[in-house]
Amino acid sequence: MEQVNGDTLAAARKVVAVHINYPSRAAQRGRTPAQPSYFLKPSSSLAVNGGAVERPAGCELLGYEGEIALVIGKAARRVSLEDAWSHVAAVTASNDLGVYDLRWADKGSNLRSKGGDGFTPVGPALIPADAVDPSRLSIRTWHNGELVQDDTTEDLLFPFARLVADLSQLLTLEEGDIILTGTPAGASVARPGDVLEVEVSTLDGGLTTGRLVTTVEEGATPFADFGAGPKVDDLQREEAYGSREAAGLPALAPALSPELKAKLESVATATLSSQLRKRGMDNVSIDGLQATRPDRKVVGLARTLRYVPNREDLFKTHGGGFNAQKRAIDSVNDGEVLVMEARGEKGTGTVGDILALRAQVRGAAAIITDGGVRDYTAVAGLEMPTYFANPHPAVLGRRHVPWDTDITIACGGATVQPGDIIVADSDGILVIPPAIAEDLAEDCIRQEQEEAFIFEMVQQGNSVDGLYPMNAAWQARYREWKAGTADPEAGHPND
C-alpha cells in the first residue's frame, strides 16, 4: 500500500475535524449531537509517522485522540449521500493532538489549542477507500504500549459518507484534503517521553495502516507575553483526561447524593406535592400516565428525548440509523430516568421491548413517555418501570420523528430539564428542581412525622378539630410525642 509522505501532506489544503462522532465518546462527554459539527486545523499541523510532537513550554495538558482520517481523492461540491464515498481516495490513521491549556482563549475555533505544528500526525499507510466498507473499520490507540482506545465504525453517529456530503454542501472538498472523523472514548493526556500509537484496520484484519507512532517532547521556548498563554483549571483537566478520577481529582458531590435519594425515597409523592405547592410550584407533576410497575418507587435524575410530529422528509433524514431515540437509550446511565416528550400523542409507540431492555441493561431507573408503548407485554415484564399513556402497536414513523436529546422538554403537562430529579410512585410522577431538593426532602420528612402523630391521635378517637392542622396545644403535645415523653393514653390536650 502507498505510504503517507511529504507529498501527501503537501496536497492537503485543509484539515477538517469532527467534534463528536462515536457513541462511546458522546456518553463520556454527556452530550449527543443531533448534527455533526466541525473545526479546521491548519495543514501545517500535519506530520508523518515516526516524528515527535512538542508539548509547548508551560503547558500541562497535551491531549491525544486516535482517529480515522479520510483523504479526499476528487473534488466534492454538493454531492449526494449515495455519491459521497466515491470522492474519498483513502483512509489512514491520525492523532488529533491538542493542548487544553489554550482552549480558554479560542475554544470555538480550537486554532491555538489544536493547530500547533505537528499536532496532526497521519499514516503510516493509506488504505484505498474502494477496498473497504467504511462501516467495518477498527480504530485503536496505544499509550506507552497500553491499549487505551478500541472501537469500530459500525455505529457511528454520522457515517463517513454523511460527513463528506454534509461538508460539501457549503465548501468544496479538494483533492488531498483530510477529514478527521472523531475519536472514541479513551482519549487522554500524554507527557514528554510518552509514545503514542494509532492503527486503523478492517474488522477482518485484512488491511491495516500499520501503527502511526508519535513521541512527545517537552518544548523549550516559552510563550511571549503579548498573546494568550497557558491556563488550566480542574474542568479542563477532567475533559482532557476523560474523567475526574483519571485526572486524579476528587469526585464532585452528585446532584442526587445517596443520602438525598434515600430521603426522597422515604416520603410519598403526595407529601412532596404538598411541600412543592407551599413553595408556589403547582406545575411539576407529569399527568395522565400509567405504570408497568406501580409497586416500584423511582427516584433518579432526568435525561430527556424529544419527538416532533412526523414529516416524511424529516423522518427520512432523522428517523433511521442511530437516531435521537437510540442515542438517548444508549447513553442513559445508571439510576437515570429517560423522559420522552411525545406531545401526548397516543397513536403510536415511542419505545418497544428491545430499547426498553437496553435502557434496563444500562441501569436506567425508569422510562417515562407521554406517548404509546409497543410490545407492551414484554416491556411490562421488565424489572425497570415504564410510565406511558397507552399501549400501541405502531412504529415511530406513523406519528413521530425522534429529534433531539438532553434538552428542555414537555411531558405530561410538565416541563422537564436534564438533571431535574424525578420522583414517581403509585400516586404519580413529580419533577423536582435540584436546587430545592434537599430542603424539600427535610420538610417532607418533618411533615410525615407530624402526620404519623396525627394519624395515631385520630386512631385513639380524637377529633380532627384543632388537630389537623395542629393548633398550639396539639403542637406542644406533638413535641412531647416526638421526644418520647408524651403519655400514650392522654386524650385531647384541652380535655
Side-chain angles (χ1 to χ4, degrees):
M1 286 184 293
E2 183 181 349
Q3 300 293 299
V4 173
N5 54 35
D7 291 339
T8 309
L9 305 189
R13 299 183 63 177
K14 54 184 171 291
V15 180
V16 184
V18 179
H19 282 108
I20 294 179
N21 198 13
Y22 286 80
S24 62
R25 180 72 161 179
Q28 185 182 46
R29 289 298 201 204
R31 61 182 185 274
T32 303
Q35 300 292 340
S37 61
Y38 312 94
F39 60 95
L40 286 169
K41 300 188 75 169
S43 58
S44 56
S45 70
L46 291 166
V48 296
N49 178 50
V53 65
E54 179 183 291
R55 187 182 75 175
C59 289
E60 172 189 335
L61 304 174
L62 176 67
Y64 61 83
E65 299 175 2
E67 304 205 13
I68 298 173
L70 311 181
V71 181
I72 297 299
K74 61 180 180 180
R77 178 72 166 114
R78 296 195 177 102
V79 300
S80 67
L81 289 170
E82 294 74 20
D83 187 48
W85 188 246
S86 70
H87 291 260
V88 179
V91 298
T92 190
S94 181
N95 198 336
D96 182 15
L97 297 159
V99 281
Y100 282 74
D101 311 59
L102 299 175
R103 291 175 85 203
W104 68 272
D106 61 358
K107 188 173 181 179
S109 70
N110 289 332
L111 180 60
R112 281 167 288 192
S113 61
K114 291 271 194 175
D117 288 354
F119 277 21
T120 318
V122 292
L126 295 166
I127 302 176
D130 59 8
V132 302
D133 177 347
S135 67
R136 300 280 296 168
L137 295 174
S138 167
I139 173 75
R140 293 185 293 173
T141 304
W142 292 264
H143 183 183
N144 292 332
E146 178 186 356
L147 183 65
V148 292
Q149 291 184 290
D150 188 1
D151 213 329
T152 76
T153 59
E154 291 181 298
D155 60 352
L156 291 176
L157 301 179
F158 313 112
F160 293 161
R162 179 173 172 182
L163 299 178
V164 174
D166 184 38
L167 286 165
S168 78
Q169 293 182 80
L170 188 62
L171 55 91
T172 299
L173 294 171
E174 299 163 297
E175 182 179 353
D177 285 351
I178 292 174
I179 301 174
L180 306 185
T181 57
T183 195
S188 189
V189 171
R191 297 178 174 84
D194 289 355
V195 176
L196 303 168
E197 300 170 276
V198 184
E199 181 181 19
V200 173
S201 61
T202 54
L203 289 186
D204 62 8
L207 295 172
T208 177
T209 61
R211 294 196 186 185
L212 170 67
V213 181
T214 306
T215 303
V216 181
E217 296 180 347
E218 180 70 90
T221 305
F223 283 90
D225 59 7
F226 50 75
K231 183 168 65 175
V232 298
D233 55 25
D234 284 351
L235 176 60
Q236 295 306 315
R237 293 185 179 96
E238 178 183 352
E239 292 202 352
Y241 282 92
S243 69
R244 293 184 65 84
E245 181 181 11
L249 300 170
L252 293 174
L256 182 59
S257 66
E259 295 76 17
L260 176 56
K261 184 172 184 287
K263 290 176 182 178
L264 292 171
E265 287 174 336
S266 73
V267 296
T269 55
T271 310
L272 287 164
S273 179
S274 174
Q275 287 294 332
L276 285 163
R277 289 199 67 190
K278 288 181 179 180
R279 289 164 168 77
M281 304 195 71
D282 293 324
N283 300 295
V284 288
S285 64
I286 297 176
D287 297 332
L289 306 186
Q290 53 186 305
T292 59
R293 300 299 303 267
D295 56 315
R296 296 296 180 88
K297 182 68 172 283
V298 171
V299 178
L301 294 180
R303 297 287 297 277
T304 60
L305 166 65
R306 180 165 66 104
Y307 295 109
V308 298
N310 185 37
R311 205 177 86 184
E312 287 74 11
D313 60 324
L314 296 179
F315 192 85
K316 183 177 180 180
T317 58
H318 290 75
F322 198 62
N323 59 30
Q325 178 201 44
K326 293 177 181 176
R327 295 198 304 269
I329 292 287
D330 220 48
S331 64
V332 68
N333 296 312
D334 188 51
E336 293 178 336
V337 178
L338 179 57
V339 186
M340 301 179 179
E341 175 186 337
R343 311 175 313 283
E345 171 55 64
K346 302 178 181 180
T348 193
T350 56
V351 68
D353 57 346
I354 292 176
L355 293 184
L357 175 61
R358 176 61 176 157
Q360 176 175 286
V361 169
R362 287 193 59 85
I367 290 176
I368 299 173
T369 173
D370 60 356
V373 163
R374 297 180 66 224
D375 312 307
Y376 170 74
T377 300
V379 173
L382 297 176
E383 287 295 311
M384 178 195 69
T386 294
Y387 298 81
F388 62 102
N390 58 273
H392 200 283
V395 295
L396 285 183
R398 183 168 187 258
R399 298 285 173 83
H400 299 302
V401 180
W403 196 255
D404 207 353
T405 63
D406 294 320
I407 58 170
T408 300
I409 65 168
C411 181
T415 297
V416 183
Q417 295 191 298
D420 282 342
I421 297 174
I422 304 296
V423 180
D425 63 14
S426 56
D427 275 349
I429 309 166
L430 293 174
V431 183
I432 299 174
I436 68 169
E438 187 67 47
D439 289 342
L440 182 74
E442 291 292 342
D443 287 347
C444 287
I445 290 170
R446 282 192 290 271
Q447 178 180 327
E448 292 200 346
Q449 288 175 339
E450 293 176 358
E451 289 177 352
F453 167 74
I454 293 169
F455 187 88
E456 184 176 321
M457 295 301 103
V458 171
Q459 196 172 42
Q460 291 178 10
N462 289 286
S463 169
V464 295
D465 183 27
L467 173 61
Y468 188 54
M470 290 187 288
N471 58 24
W474 273 116
Q475 287 174 355
R477 174 72 183 282
Y478 165 69
R479 289 191 290 272
E480 294 175 357
W481 175 87
K482 187 177 178 183
T485 59
D487 180 357
E489 300 301 322
H492 192 287
N494 294 327
D495 287 350

